[in-house]
Amino acid sequence: MIWRVEVKHKPGVFDPHGGSIRKDIVDSGLSGITRVDVVDVYHIDGALSQQEIGNVSRRLLADPVTQEYAIVQAEGFKEPPAASAIHLIEIAHHPGVMDPVEASTLKGIQDLGFKNVSAVRTAKKYCFHGNVSGRAIENIVGKILCNKLIQHVVKHPVVWKSPAPKADGPVNVVVVDLLKASEKQLKGISQQGQLFLNLNEMKTIQAHFRKMGRNPTDCELETLAQTWSEHCYHKTFRGTIRYRSNNNGKAQSRLIRNLLKSTIMKATNEINKPWCVSVFHDNAGIVKFDKDHHVCFKVETHNHPSALEPFGGANTGIGGVLRDILGTGLGAKPICCTDVFCFAPPDLPQSKLPAGTLHPKRIMKGVVSGVRDYGNKMGIPTINGAILFDEQFVGNPLVYCGSVGLIPNNQVNKRVSAGDLIVVAGGKTGRDGIHGATFSSGELTDESEVVSSGAVQIGDPIQEKKVLDVLLKARDKGLYSAITDCGAGGLSSAVGEMGKELGARVQLDKVPLKYAGLSYTEIWISESQERMVFSVPSKNREAFLKVFAAESVEAMVIGEFRKTGRLELFDGDTQVCDVDMDFLHDGIPQITKQAVWAKPKLTNPRVPVPRDLNEKLVDVLSHYNVCSKEWVIRQYDHEVQGASVIKPLVGVGCDGPSDASVIAPKLGSVQGLAISNGINFRYGMIDPHWMAASCIDEAIRQIVAVGGDIERIAILDNFCWGNPDKPDRLGSLVRAAEACYQIAVGYHVPFISGKDSLYNEYTQGRKSRAIPGTILISAMGIIDDVTKTVTMDFKQAGNLIYCIGKTSDELGGSIYWDSYGLLGSSVPRVDPKLGRKIYATMFKAAQKGLVLSAHDCSEGGIAVALAEMAFSGGLGVTVHLDRVALGNKSISREDTILFSESNTRLLVEVEPRHQRSFEKLFQGLPIAPIGRVEETPEFIVYGLKNQVCVNTYIEDLKEAWQKPLRW
Amino acid sequence: MIRKPKIIVLRTAGTNCDGEMAFAFEKSGGEVDLVHVNQLLRGEVHLQDYHILAIPGGFTYGDDISSGRILANELNVKLGQQIGSFIADGKLMIGVCNGFQVMIKAGFLPGGLASASTPVSQTATLTFNDSGKFEDRWVHLKVEGKSVWTQGLDNNILYLPVAHAEGKFVTIDQDVLEWLKTNGQVAFRYCSSSGGEPHYPDNPNGSVENIAGITDKTGRILGLMPHPERHFLSLQHPSWTRQKHKGTFGDGARIFQNGVDYINNNLLSKTTVSV
């Protein structure tokens, strides 16, 4: 017997789910829907009497205070005709696709003592009120409610059948005819199989199998495609590049062998910090924290999945980076997340939306919800981030997910030995996420939504939380010798990587499945979430499995590591893969990519001197890139684990934008760390060199602003670029990477980990739009005493305001010029020699307690920083622009001084009694006392001729800053 | 030998505020065990060996169906008797955020109201915030009632963070609400920073009569949406850098200290005498 239980809110009770769907409908440009009600539908299959199903509904499914329920027999159920102006749509998961709620409901029913229930299937019924066409409803279903990969619209009456059991019998091994294939056929095989292998690679594989005298199986070809994908192998950064540049008529041509080793890693080696424990080696970079612990930091991207399915993409992006942390060393405990996004503007007109893309507001809401859902449920605080907007990200948003982990310092080394068992633990394997690794190594097209929909993954954060809990227990008992996450490429990458030095034999039919019917290849490359792979010494087998079973986490022995040098896979008795490990990992053919960088022909605009600077200040503060992100920040739990010391929102009203966030992860200890991000794609449109340099400076500067020590800062690079097979894209990438080397060495700040996501282009027909090459620099500073950290809000009227650093005429790529729709060419530069002195001195000043508040000057320059400090502290200011320390050239315009985005500048609040000691500390460095904190809530700026040029109220500035994203 | 109050911080799939809850009780002088509900069910750990049962925040079982529902039923059905005798023994319980949702939905709070003979059933709930979304923000709270957990806090305004999507307190009818007030079972109400009438976001979720936390009739069982364990230390205050005089402890610390002190004074001292 199958019962159908419908649960809905009682009349008059607010239904937030329906409310938010209605908002999404409005956002998507459809009008006419006045209300949406959501009904939870449960189909319960089991031997339950009418009374018993009533009991289950009353005690489990419906809240007695706010909800009501109705029970009917599911078999033969047909929806009665709806009233006029009401549309009913029911959406359910495909048979075999597991909604986590179903497992929880089954458990809940069994807990009530009803053991004879075999299955629960959930669905959602939506009641749309309003006079709209059936076509409009279809549109809503397709664009907002239903992910076709995993869900469908239910047609009543439903024919109930259980998923077909896997047919017994011999395994049908698929062999790909490669030996005789022509070049054209090789290309075809790669394309049809979504392998994203180029012709050269296909030919290398063909030659390898010709030598063996046999054709590869589909599984062997897939394994090579996964391992050799740009996503897993980083062909561009590790390959050879012919680089030609033309900078102001100076032409040069060089051959770069391994861009990563010759720039990013080279800097780290030269800087050679003693506290770097493991860099560019494990899942995440590891540095020393205190006498017992290290910390590790990793930032990943999940751009393409987020473009197609924003919630799922961001959700699994967080899940993925957290597994990176879980898989670092012998397992680290995630202690915070930091996330950075780039979207097209949320008010982009529908007419500017390319075919096959989602509206940026919908992408943004989906991404934020995905982060909120995974991070909050896992109990990992999302402590800060950044959101940038530009039309160039339409169709290809950027979603960077970062996480930091804490690891005992004796748990850093993993070592797989022959005879160790291969254990997969956590979630079951399904068909979700097939071809994620290869998909992210190609461009998005207007058909990606259809062709690559299988690459969308489904997250279950509670499953991952369970894995986290037991994994740390097993780690502390020393029950396994190595661990890695199942990420891109699934088991194929995880096992292939762990068994690289030895060899591995896997029994694919042992892998726990979500549903029957997966082929051996699907099992092998599926990117189902929440899975970790362990290497377990056979003597620990029982103890290991017991720890996992104790908290109801599935763990299964699927094979063993063997000293054979081969990757051998079996489905039952049938061998389906036998690949040489050396060929798999080192057989990829080296090619030389062409890179060209030519300085773009840009000039500075002639912007008339504005009559009203008040108005311009308001414009800049309400620019999407500058304005408050409080709507987003509050949806993230940024305080779970109790470690937060400097929160993302600070100040008298807890709404000011903090620079770096600080946490003290070991409760009761003052040892802490600060996390920040530097990102500015607009500078890169002028010169990627100064973009990279500025982002490094900004990331460091934010940590210095909260009282961090530049000697203890480590950074991460994350390159999101267009198609590297196009020489102009690759040329700008090379230029940015080379700047990373120069500036990191100049600042003595090492890179400890990095990531690249290339092929960020959206192709529609013949037209290809690349995103602007965007580097994200994430920084982590170790802080020995968090009680000495500083926030950015003004503290006390009468205190002095210092501007530290030199202000130059550097409005190129600024928010100020962007507010006129202009770019310019005078991009901000970085002088690490001077910067290093300034930052070291700032640390000394903070340690001495001389700094009451400090804020970094970045987008929007001095004007924005000053306004933010004032309204966050609820205090006014008076400043004089003629006192600001300038660069080599004089500046004649107030707007330039106010809005120039010169690097290495901070505003600092100092008590008058400390004036002398503060100035003495900074002797020989460019600092200037530019004004005073005032009791009256006015914002007053005196210009170069000592005239009042800005005169407004801090509340008005705050309103301008808060309004744009106050949704 | 000095015995310390023994506290069980209960975990299950999706619990995530257990570490800071354990820290708060340990610092207050308790001896804390983090116990998975499976350990209680398998009989490896016995509730009777403890003095305080603490249910921390998180998303137990994903908050699937509704927040806290599945753990609430699990405790009620499978451990109801043990918990019943635990309460009858004069011991203490506290539930924060998801723990409060669990206690409400299990009927431990507000507890048998209308008549003592009625079996425990759910008479109130914590439903979706009026804002329609999860929000992490700090709130001001007024303390009422005579709970052992809030001793010495009567005239204080506490400042604690909330972080939830389902925290709006409502009762099944007006009678239950009146009963709660008459019996002094309201423990915390949201208020403005000066202690006055709150509006959103001072009352962050739209709870009726601004109720943020309640107790049972005895005052020994406390549940609240705000997180006292997240303001256990003064450095957790969102604007500690603005304060001239900051001690070690934050506004939430007193609640945990009260729990530990109560056990020391009422349950352990007696045992010591009899030994």
Side-chain angles (χ1 to χ4, degrees):
Chain A
M1 163 80 87
I2 302 172
W3 292 105
R4 176 185 167 93
V5 182
E6 293 193 6
V7 178
K8 62 176 181 186
H9 283 84
K10 288 180 181 173
V13 175
F14 168 61
D15 171 11
H17 191 182
S20 76
I21 290 170
R22 204 189 80 83
K23 264 193 200 167
D24 288 343
I25 293 171
V26 173
D27 287 350
S28 74
L30 280 162
S31 56
I33 301 279
T34 53
R35 202 176 98 201
V36 182
D37 297 326
V38 184
V39 179
D40 292 320
V41 181
Y42 301 86
H43 292 107
I44 295 162
D45 187 354
L48 293 177
S49 68
Q50 177 102 34
Q51 195 188 350
E52 286 168 331
I53 189 68
N55 197 327
V56 168
S57 306
R58 194 175 63 249
R59 292 167 71 190
L60 180 68
L61 303 179
D63 187 291
V65 179
T66 55
Q67 294 177 315
E68 56 193 25
Y69 60 88
I71 303 170
V72 292
Q73 286 195 18
E75 275 136 323
F77 169 78
K78 248 185 122 177
E79 198 71 65
S84 70
I86 290 186
H87 298 263
L88 293 180
I89 294 286
E90 187 168 324
I91 292 174
H93 288 89
H94 295 328
V97 176
M98 191 71 159
D99 173 6
V101 177
E102 293 169 357
S104 301
T105 307
L106 195 58
K107 176 191 159 45
I109 295 173
Q110 286 168 350
D111 284 350
L112 289 176
F114 303 111
K115 304 291 181 196
N116 292 328
V117 173
S118 57
V120 175
R121 309 281 303 151
T122 54
K124 291 233 186 283
K125 190 166 97 179
Y126 301 89
C127 311
F128 300 97
H129 301 250
N131 264 322
V132 291
S133 66
R135 180 90 191 254
I137 296 289
E138 253 173 56
N139 220 331
I140 293 169
V141 169
K143 288 289 174 198
I144 296 173
L145 298 177
C146 188
N147 177 349
K148 279 178 282 184
L149 169 68
I150 53 168
Q151 296 165 311
H152 61 277
V153 174
V154 178
K155 300 258 185 288
H156 292 293
V158 176
V159 181
W160 296 92
K161 55 179 182 201
S162 12
K166 194 180 180 182
D168 285 335
V171 177
N172 187 16
V173 181
V174 179
V175 173
V176 183
D177 192 3
L178 210 62
L179 299 191
K180 295 194 296 273
S182 66
E183 288 199 354
K184 196 177 159 198
Q185 284 166 325
L186 286 176
K187 278 188 189 167
I189 291 168
S190 172
Q191 203 172 5
Q192 276 152 29
Q194 291 190 57
L195 302 175
F196 290 96
L197 289 166
N198 63 36
L199 180 62
N200 202 9
E201 289 157 353
M202 287 299 286
K203 281 167 84 175
T204 306
I205 295 170
Q206 187 182 42
H208 179 76
F209 278 91
R210 274 183 179 157
K211 239 186 331 189
M212 295 201 299
R214 68 171 176 88
N215 272 312
T217 66
D218 58 341
C219 190
E220 288 170 327
L221 206 49
E222 282 283 4
T223 304
L224 286 159
Q226 298 293 331
T227 313
W228 292 5
S229 68
E230 180 69 54
H231 190 101
C232 296
Y233 195 86
H234 306 288
K235 294 183 246 196
T236 303
F237 267 87
R238 291 211 227 166
T240 305
I241 298 171
R242 165 64 60 187
Y243 176 61
R244 295 184 186 82
S245 64
N246 191 337
N247 195 1
N248 290 336
K250 263 197 337 206
Q252 56 158 293
S253 169
R254 283 183 287 130
L255 203 62
I256 300 166
R257 288 182 210 285
N258 198 320
L259 184 61
L260 186 64
K261 279 192 180 160
S262 60
T263 57
I264 310 276
M265 285 168 76
K266 187 177 168 201
T268 304
N269 289 336
E270 285 178 20
I271 296 161
N272 196 21
K273 287 281 187 189
W275 41 258
C276 283
V277 177
S278 164
V279 291
F280 296 101
H281 164 64
D282 208 330
N283 274 353
I286 307 176
V287 300
K288 282 184 184 164
F289 182 63
D290 65 7
K291 66 181 194 354
D292 308 311
H293 285 86
H294 296 324
V295 281
C296 57
F297 191 9
K298 170 78 174 187
V299 181
E300 269 282 1
T301 51
H302 229 213
N303 305 334
H304 287 189
S306 305
L308 295 185
E309 217 292 274
F311 180 90
N315 198 250
T316 53
I318 299 292
V321 77
L322 291 173
R323 281 195 305 284
D324 271 328
I325 298 299
L326 296 181
T328 299
L330 287 171
K333 181 192 168 210
I335 50 175
C336 67
C337 286
T338 176
D339 304 301
V340 176
F341 316 131
C342 299
F343 304 120
D347 54 0
L348 188 81
Q350 293 283 342
S351 58
K352 286 194 170 181
L353 210 57
T357 60
L358 299 174
H359 191 270
K361 188 164 181 181
R362 168 147 155 64
I363 294 183
M364 177 175 168
K365 281 185 159 186
V367 165
V368 169
S369 296
V371 169
R372 182 209 68 224
D373 182 72
Y374 216 101
N376 291 5
K377 284 187 173 167
M378 277 284 285
I380 318 298
T382 301
I383 60 169
N384 67 355
I387 307 180
L388 290 84
F389 298 90
D390 193 273
E391 264 189 57
Q392 295 172 94
F393 297 104
V394 71
N396 198 132
L398 300 185
V399 174
Y400 299 91
C401 310
S403 181
V404 179
L406 188 70
I407 184 169
N409 55 19
N410 58 0
Q411 302 274 22
V412 169
N413 297 314
K414 44 180 121 194
R415 202 190 137 139
V416 180
S417 302
D420 284 359
L421 303 173
I422 303 170
V423 180
V424 61
K428 290 180 196 285
T429 300
R431 209 166 265 136
D432 41 325
I434 303 264
H435 282 135
T438 51
F439 158 64
S440 64
S441 306
E443 294 177 14
L444 283 171
T445 71
D446 50 1
E447 285 178 1
S448 294
E449 203 181 10
V450 184
V451 178
S452 304
S453 61
V456 174
Q457 301 130 330
I458 305 156
D460 180 0
I462 299 303
Q463 178 64 256
E464 191 149 306
K465 177 69 164 81
K466 285 165 69 177
V467 172
L468 158 67
D469 292 348
V470 286
L471 178 158
L472 296 180
K473 286 202 163 73
R475 177 197 73 186
D476 293 342
K477 288 175 191 246
L479 295 177
Y480 55 86
S481 57
I483 177 174
T484 197
D485 61 301
C486 255
L491 288 171
S492 86
S493 295
V495 176
E497 187 63 34
M498 283 173 99
K500 194 174 171 179
E501 310 295 332
L502 286 167
R505 183 192 157 106
V506 176
Q507 204 65 47
L508 290 171
D509 49 314
K510 295 275 187 220
V511 176
L513 301 182
K514 292 183 179 174
Y515 36 85
L518 268 73
S519 75
Y520 55 84
T521 302
E522 287 175 320
I523 295 171
W524 183 236
I525 64 166
S526 159
E527 296 180 5
S528 285
Q529 301 290 297
E530 293 90 28
R531 299 177 303 163
M532 299 295 290
V533 177
F534 298 82
S535 155
V536 179
S538 55
K539 66 177 166 54
N540 296 338
R541 179 190 179 121
E542 294 315 314
F544 181 92
L545 296 178
K546 200 178 159 196
V547 168
F548 280 67
E551 300 197 2
S552 317
V553 181
E554 190 162 23
M556 184 68 79
V557 177
I558 60 164
E560 80 177 358
F561 294 105
R562 293 181 164 194
K563 202 166 168 19
T564 56
R566 304 199 71 80
L567 178 64
E568 300 173 273
L569 308 178
F570 289 83
D571 186 352
D573 296 331
T574 313
Q575 182 152 28
V576 296
C577 171
D578 181 10
V579 190
D580 182 61
M581 280 289 191
D582 287 341
F583 179 67
L584 181 60
H585 290 288
D586 301 318
I588 185 169
Q590 292 290 331
I591 47 152
T592 302
K593 289 195 179 186
Q594 301 296 320
V596 173
W597 191 77
K599 194 175 177 177
K601 290 183 177 61
L602 296 166
T603 50
N604 279 337
R606 289 172 196 276
V607 174
V609 177
R611 277 215 313 262
D612 185 353
L613 272 173
N614 286 350
E615 215 172 87
K616 287 316 295 178
L617 180 54
V618 164
D619 284 353
V620 169
L621 281 168
S622 40
H623 190 285
Y624 278 130
N625 288 14
V626 172
C627 73
S628 173
K629 311 295 184 297
E630 183 172 346
W631 180 84
V632 176
I633 296 167
R634 293 232 178 270
Q635 294 189 59
Y636 302 153
D637 190 338
H638 45 264
E639 294 172 296
V640 59
Q641 298 189 14
S644 80
V645 174
I646 293 186
K647 301 176 202 292
L649 295 167
V650 296
V652 68
C654 296
D655 52 11
S658 117
D659 290 315
S661 275
V662 177
I663 57 171
K666 294 169 78 170
L667 294 178
S669 159
V670 295
Q671 187 76 11
L673 56 89
I675 296 293
S676 68
N677 294 291
I679 181 168
N680 195 317
F681 61 88
R682 215 170 262 115
Y683 297 167
M685 291 157 63
I686 302 171
D687 189 340
H689 178 97
W690 294 115
M691 165 174 69
S694 298
C695 292
I696 294 174
D697 194 76
E698 185 187 8
I700 295 172
R701 190 162 76 228
Q702 288 193 26
I703 289 185
V704 169
V706 297
D709 179 3
I710 188 170
E711 296 299 326
R712 298 291 301 281
I713 295 176
I715 53 178
L716 278 67
D717 63 84
N718 209 314
F719 293 85
C720 282
W721 244 260
N723 184 346
D725 302 331
K726 298 175 184 168
D728 61 326
R729 280 44 160 185
L730 188 55
S732 92
L733 178 74
V734 168
R735 194 163 160 82
E738 294 193 330
C740 284
Y741 164 76
Q742 288 171 23
I743 303 297
V745 167
Y747 269 130
H748 294 231
V749 168
F751 287 95
I752 57 166
S753 171
K755 181 73 208 301
D756 56 274
S757 164
L758 309 179
Y759 299 95
N760 285 292
E761 307 218 359
Y762 181 81
T763 310
Q764 196 185 4
R766 286 193 175 171
K767 236 177 90 191
S768 181
R769 280 169 184 249
I771 60 152
T774 303
I775 191 170
L776 168 69
I777 299 291
S778 306
M780 173 169 68
I782 305 299
I783 295 190
D784 287 332
D785 182 356
V786 294
T787 64
K788 297 204 167 111
T789 53
V790 177
T791 55
M792 50 69 70
D793 45 309
F794 280 141
K795 304 294 185 302
Q796 178 76 49
N799 287 342
L800 306 172
I801 303 166
Y802 282 86
C803 182
I804 313 287
K806 288 180 188 168
T807 300
S808 300
D809 186 347
E810 294 180 315
L811 281 169
S814 68
I815 295 290
Y816 180 63
W817 277 354
D818 190 63
S819 73
Y820 288 98
L822 301 167
L823 183 65
S825 66
S826 52
V827 65
R829 302 188 165 221
V830 179
D831 174 3
K833 213 171 148 189
L834 173 64
R836 203 165 127 74
K837 285 186 199 152
I838 288 179
Y839 292 157
T841 312
M842 266 301 290
F843 176 63
K844 281 187 203 154
Q847 288 292 302
K848 286 176 190 278
L850 305 179
V851 178
L852 272 191
S853 68
H855 196 23
D856 103 284
C857 295
S858 52
E859 289 184 301
I862 292 176
V864 164
L866 201 58
E868 289 175 343
M869 292 175 92
F871 60 63
S872 303
L875 293 162
V877 288
T878 312
V879 294
H880 301 265
L881 294 183
D882 59 344
R883 298 183 192 165
V884 171
L886 301 181
N888 297 334
K889 287 185 190 150
S890 68
I891 300 176
S892 58
R893 288 175 58 151
E894 281 92 6
D895 56 348
T896 307
I897 298 178
L898 279 169
F899 298 113
S900 166
E901 297 180 7
S902 294
N903 282 299
T904 327
R905 294 178 307 158
L906 296 129
L907 295 181
V908 175
E909 176 188 3
V910 176
E911 284 177 83
R913 65 185 169 116
H914 292 316
Q915 178 170 11
R916 191 170 295 176
S917 29
F918 185 81
E919 286 178 3
K920 198 173 159 207
L921 208 55
F922 276 92
Q923 209 157 40
L925 293 172
I927 69 163
I930 59 166
R932 239 167 59 113
V933 181
E934 305 284 357
E935 193 67 54
T936 47
E938 290 169 345
F939 188 92
I940 296 168
V941 179
Y942 289 89
L944 296 171
K945 296 188 183 95
N946 213 22
Q947 83 286 18
V948 173
C949 66
V950 181
N951 183 1
T952 180
Y953 292 97
I954 61 169
E955 277 313 308
D956 294 344
L957 297 178
K958 188 172 182 175
E959 176 60 19
W961 178 75
Q962 288 187 327
K963 202 176 164 193
L965 291 179
R966 191 163 50 199
W967 290 346
Chain B
M1 194 184 97
I2 302 168
R3 282 180 61 200
K4 281 183 170 181
K6 287 194 72 179
I7 294 126
I8 191 165
V9 173
L10 189 67
R11 297 171 44 231
T12 190
T15 302
N16 65 28
C17 303
D18 44 328
E20 49 272 45
M21 176 81 94
F23 174 78
F25 274 117
E26 259 162 27
K27 281 283 152 190
S28 306
E31 190 183 312
V32 181
D33 285 333
L34 284 168
V35 175
H36 194 281
V37 71
N38 286 357
Q39 292 174 279
L40 286 175
L41 295 175
R42 284 195 300 261
E44 294 165 12
V45 176
H46 302 281
L47 199 51
Q48 67 203 43
D49 297 339
Y50 294 85
H51 303 105
I52 300 176
L53 170 60
I55 311 180
F59 291 82
T60 49
Y61 303 105
D63 279 353
D64 294 338
I65 302 177
S66 85
S67 59
R69 166 64 66 200
I70 292 175
L71 181 60
N73 282 0
E74 193 170 26
L75 295 182
N76 227 340
V77 173
K78 298 188 170 175
L79 295 164
Q81 281 193 334
Q82 282 192 50
I83 293 172
S85 18
F86 186 85
I87 297 167
D89 287 347
K91 293 174 173 176
L92 304 185
M93 273 175 79
I94 183 168
V96 172
C97 196
N98 193 239
F100 184 29
Q101 293 164 338
V102 168
M103 284 161 74
I104 285 267
K105 290 177 184 183
F108 302 153
L109 283 176
L113 282 163
S115 71
S117 60
T118 320
V120 192
S121 66
Q122 186 185 336
T123 51
T125 201
L126 291 156
T127 187
F128 297 97
N129 298 348
D130 278 353
S131 68
K133 55 181 187 277
F134 181 101
E135 284 187 272
D136 176 340
R137 55 168 76 250
W138 284 67
V139 294
H140 294 90
L141 299 166
K142 262 190 187 165
V143 184
E144 291 178 26
K146 292 190 175 56
S147 170
V148 301
W149 292 100
T150 55
Q151 291 297 305
L153 291 170
D154 308 19
N155 296 316
N156 295 27
I157 290 177
L158 302 190
Y159 194 42
L160 302 177
V162 291
H164 61 248
E166 296 174 54
K168 178 180 177 174
F169 179 83
V170 284
T171 56
I172 200 158
D173 54 31
Q174 193 61 29
D175 291 350
V176 172
L177 189 60
E178 292 307 321
W179 262 101
L180 282 177
K181 291 192 285 187
T182 315
N183 285 349
Q185 287 181 237
V186 175
F188 299 101
R189 285 185 208 253
Y190 302 108
C191 62
S192 73
S193 57
S194 56
E197 181 68 18
H199 302 285
Y200 176 82
D202 293 334
N203 175 344
N205 47 37
S207 289
V208 293
E209 302 209 7
N210 310 310
I211 291 172
I214 60 169
T215 70
D216 72 334
K217 272 189 297 195
T218 68
R220 288 187 280 111
I221 307 180
L222 170 69
L224 70 166
M225 286 314 296
H227 287 271
E229 80 284 8
R230 290 191 192 179
H231 193 193
F232 186 80
L233 301 169
S234 56
L235 281 178
Q236 292 164 330
H237 191 290
S239 45
W240 64 269
T241 57
R242 303 186 70 80
Q243 293 167 340
K244 291 237 159 55
H245 308 287
K246 34 187 177 275
T248 307
F249 295 104
D251 286 2
R254 186 62 190 259
I255 293 172
F256 298 97
Q257 193 63 57
N258 279 337
V260 168
D261 287 352
Y262 178 85
I263 300 299
N264 274 327
N265 298 335
N266 294 279
L267 297 183
L268 287 182
S269 57
K270 283 180 202 158
T271 325
T272 318
V273 173
S274 67
V275 168

